[in-house]
């Protein structure tokens, strides 16, 4: 029941209108051929300090990408 509320809120959120308000460094992952990542490049162009990188398949490799991004902070 509560999951539905969260999903509805996420779908109702005006993401496009709010992207210009993001000023923090942002890590965006992309995965070729995966529709969940189809907007990564377009979003990156709207963010002031976006870093786009491929999404590693292995969890440990993804963790390393996150760690590197956070350590660079």
């Amino acid at each position: 029941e509560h999951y539905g509320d969260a999903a509805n809120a996420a779908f109702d959120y005006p993401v496009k209108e709010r992207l210009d308000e993001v000023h923090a460094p942002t890590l965006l992952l992309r995965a070729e051929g995966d529709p969940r990542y189809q907007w990564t490049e377009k979003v990156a162009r709207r963010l002031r300090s976006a870093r786009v990188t491929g999404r590693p398949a292995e969890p440990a490799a993804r963790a390393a990408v996150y760690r590197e991004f956070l350590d660079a902070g």
Side-chain angles (χ1 to χ4, degrees):
E1 177 177 306
H2 297 292
Y3 175 78
D5 293 340
N8 286 333
F11 289 125
D12 289 340
Y13 190 79
V15 173
K16 291 182 203 175
E17 291 82 12
R18 305 295 299 269
L19 285 175
D20 295 331
E21 298 174 24
V22 176
H23 301 285
T26 307
L27 176 64
L28 299 172
L29 301 179
R30 72 169 171 272
E32 298 301 322
D34 188 329
R36 295 174 296 172
Y37 298 88
Q38 65 182 319
W39 303 107
T40 299
E41 298 296 333
K42 192 171 190 174
V43 169
R45 288 192 295 273
R46 298 273 309 270
L47 296 175
R48 290 179 175 89
S49 24
R51 176 179 164 207
V52 178
T53 188
R55 181 185 180 275
E58 295 298 319
R62 276 196 307 278
V65 168
Y66 302 147
R67 190 175 309 111
E68 178 187 325
F69 175 77
L70 294 171
D71 287 346

